[in-house]
Amino acid sequence: MSSYIIPFLFLTILMYSAIKKVKPYDAFTEGAKSALPFAANIFPYLVSIFVLTELFEASGISDFLTQILSPVFGFLGIPKELCKLVMIKPFSGSGSLAMLSEIFSEYGADSYLARCACVIYGSSETVFYIAAVYFANVKNKKLLLPIIISLFASFCSCVFACFICKIM
């Protein structure tokens, strides 16, 4: 059934554009052309997020913070093996996916840690990447409060994820 969804959507859009007398290719290229200035505007923000993510990992700050925050995370129900995943997820989706793969290979895909890691991965967000994308074109760059709220919500989702996995 799912293999028919894309062709169905494609045909529906073509029929709708024929009814509205809109040239779909011209409309598509016009939309793509208007996206180029946005992509150029957002590029420096994305580069800075990627560089900061690499610096966070390469400098050893992530390992240092993991050691310091492990007891606090443990008190809140997050296993110490998942602390690095919780720390890297707000910065990098690909980095956290690599951590998830490591957890699978080390502890097994059906383990409690793997289940927690999956739910953490799925329920939290790459906060800084999203902030860079959403706030790139905003004139008022007051990012501190939205980022703090997003980080807090993401952390709460991690605590709740481990709680849910523990009781299920």
Side-chain angles (χ1 to χ4, degrees):
M1 169 110 177
S2 63
S3 61
Y4 296 114
I5 292 174
I6 299 294
F8 175 75
L9 286 174
F10 185 73
L11 290 174
T12 304
I13 290 170
L14 284 178
M15 289 188 317
Y16 183 75
S17 63
I19 292 168
K20 291 290 189 174
K21 296 183 171 80
V22 174
K23 296 179 181 175
Y25 184 75
D26 292 341
F28 176 78
T29 55
E30 191 64 34
K33 184 171 47 171
S34 67
L36 288 176
F38 176 72
N41 189 23
I42 199 171
F43 185 73
Y45 297 100
L46 294 178
V47 168
S48 66
I49 292 300
F50 293 140
V51 169
L52 290 174
T53 301
E54 286 299 317
L55 287 175
F56 183 71
E57 186 65 33
S59 68
I61 293 174
S62 67
D63 294 331
F64 177 72
L65 286 175
T66 299
Q67 289 176 352
I68 290 175
L69 295 176
S70 287
V72 175
F73 285 7
F75 177 75
L76 295 172
I78 299 173
K80 67 177 179 145
E81 296 85 0
L82 302 181
C83 289
K84 201 165 188 176
L85 174 66
V86 173
M87 297 286 295
I88 201 72
K89 181 63 178 174
F91 292 100
S92 171
S94 59
S96 57
L97 184 59
M99 308 277 306
L100 184 64
S101 296
E102 287 177 23
I103 291 167
F104 285 167
S105 63
E106 190 169 339
Y107 300 104
D110 292 334
S111 67
Y112 166 70
L113 289 173
R115 286 193 319 264
C116 286
C118 285
V119 179
I120 287 171
Y121 182 81
S123 64
S124 57
E125 188 55 72
T126 52
V127 172
F128 293 101
Y129 176 81
I130 296 300
V133 170
Y134 286 155
F135 290 106
N137 280 341
V138 176
K139 291 181 182 171
N140 186 356
K141 302 269 189 211
K142 294 182 181 178
L143 297 174
L144 184 61
L145 186 60
I147 287 177
I148 289 172
I149 292 169
S150 298
L151 288 172
F152 180 73
S154 183
F155 183 72
C156 288
S157 74
C158 294
V159 171
F160 192 67
C162 291
F163 173 73
I164 291 295
C165 288
K166 186 172 252 176
I167 64 172
M168 294 189 103

